[in-house]
Amino acid sequence: AFNRVPRRPLFEAFRHLGVHACTLCAWESYLGGLSRRFRLHGLLGSPCLSTTGFPEGCPMSVPAMIVLSWAWAVETAAQFDGVAAPLEHGQALAYADNLELLGSDVEAVCRAERVCFDFCATMDMSISIDKSWHWSTAGRGAFAGVHMLTPYSRGERDLGADLAYTGARNVR
């Protein structure tokens, strides 16, 4: 399901967290042998091996996403003077493809947003701008004169940054 998630840094994080080497070796071996095919104009291409992503339905994709979310929260906290979440001026929250930053001041939210974009770029991933927003209980005026990468919203079903884990399903 998460085709763009890089495997190598996540496996390094699993090692850092103390996951048993036998488990990781078997999992890496399984993923390393997976092949993908691409469909273009109704034609199915030859199989090719990939170095990114976790297959749909793989139960191990759940711990992979947990570790990715943990790594993002750790990086966010490290950028704020090493204070662990909850941050002094905010908090980093993550659930599946939703990354959320709560802050008590605009400057902290701006910095946290930049950290979020930088982390995703480091992982060779991107944020879906059209599914990401920032907002304030003080209203739009709180962000006056501040350059944010995400658009301001007065209300959405889910507020936060949405990671783009998969590419387009059908190429035409």
Side-chain angles (χ1 to χ4, degrees), residues 13-52:
F14 276 112
R15 284 181 186 83
H16 174 77
L17 292 170
V19 174
H20 198 277
C22 290
T23 301
L24 293 178
C25 183
W27 189 14
E28 284 180 293
S29 178
Y30 164 72
L31 290 174
L34 288 177
S35 62
R36 294 183 178 160
R37 295 172 178 253
F38 296 93
R39 183 180 308 273
L40 185 62
H41 297 294
L43 301 173
L44 188 61
S46 301
C48 60
L49 297 177
S50 69
T51 58
T52 62

Side-chain angles (χ1 to χ4, degrees), residues 33-146:
L34 288 177
S35 62
R36 294 183 178 160
R37 295 172 178 253
F38 296 93
R39 183 180 308 273
L40 185 62
H41 297 294
L43 301 173
L44 188 61
S46 301
C48 60
L49 297 177
S50 69
T51 58
T52 62
F54 296 88
E56 198 166 328
C58 175
M60 295 302 284
S61 66
V62 175
M65 294 313 300
I66 291 169
V67 168
L68 179 65
S69 298
W70 168 80
W72 172 73
V74 167
E75 179 63 20
T76 302
Q79 295 297 322
F80 287 86
D81 302 323
V83 179
L87 303 171
E88 182 180 337
H89 297 289
Q91 187 171 10
L93 307 170
Y95 175 77
D97 61 352
N98 290 316
L99 304 178
E100 299 184 9
L101 302 160
L102 307 176
S104 60
D105 63 77
V106 173
E107 183 180 319
V109 172
C110 291
R111 287 189 330 162
E113 183 187 59
R114 173 46 56 200
V115 169
C116 186
F117 274 81
D118 291 347
F119 175 80
C120 291
T122 299
M123 297 293 278
D124 200 23
M125 298 173 65
S126 61
I127 290 177
S128 304
I129 295 292
D130 58 333
K131 296 181 184 178
S132 303
W133 309 274
H134 68 273
W135 65 283
S136 170
T137 56
R140 182 186 299 260
F143 292 97
V146 176

